[in-house]
Amino acid sequence: GVQIMFGIYEFQQLQSLLSDIYGGRRIDVRPFGYAFDFDSVAADGTVIATQKIIGNADFIMCSASFSAFEPTIGFHTTLQIEDSGSQERFFNQAVPVNMFASTDSEQARGITFPRRVAGNSTLTATLTAGVLLTTPQLYLDGVHVFVYGN
């Protein structure tokens, strides 16, 4: 049969995951993404950007991409993301951006497993630049899940 892709994951895989998470409740799923706009930063500098997840839906993150004006971001450019809702960090320590997110014109890179971020959470992304980065941006791609009833 034809495989319908939903970004990185097959549509059926994502549907099955959401059905496990939301236990048969009625849900509406809409593609959505969050962009984190960082200030330009010198080599060895650190910048922070935040995004608040909307209050009436969870965000299921499926992939990440990163861009800056410079064609090469360097291996020593690292990133950490913290979720205020769960008080969890995405990684045990800051990791090189290209281990986590696709860069430049690379094909979108999926994360190991879609990550649920509860509605109303604030995500704080901390970027430490290995080289000068002009207007860097991190983009988290996924879906909003609106839940209806119990």
Side-chain angles (χ1 to χ4, degrees), residues 112-127:
T112 311
F113 192 81
R115 184 182 191 100
R116 177 179 173 264
V117 181
N120 257 339
S121 297
T122 297
L123 293 179
T124 301
T126 303
L127 176 72

Side-chain angles (χ1 to χ4, degrees), residues 122-144:
T122 297
L123 293 179
T124 301
T126 303
L127 176 72
T128 301
V131 294
L132 167 73
L133 294 175
T134 309
T135 60
Q137 184 183 70
L138 171 69
Y139 176 71
L140 304 183
D141 193 34
V143 295
H144 270 154

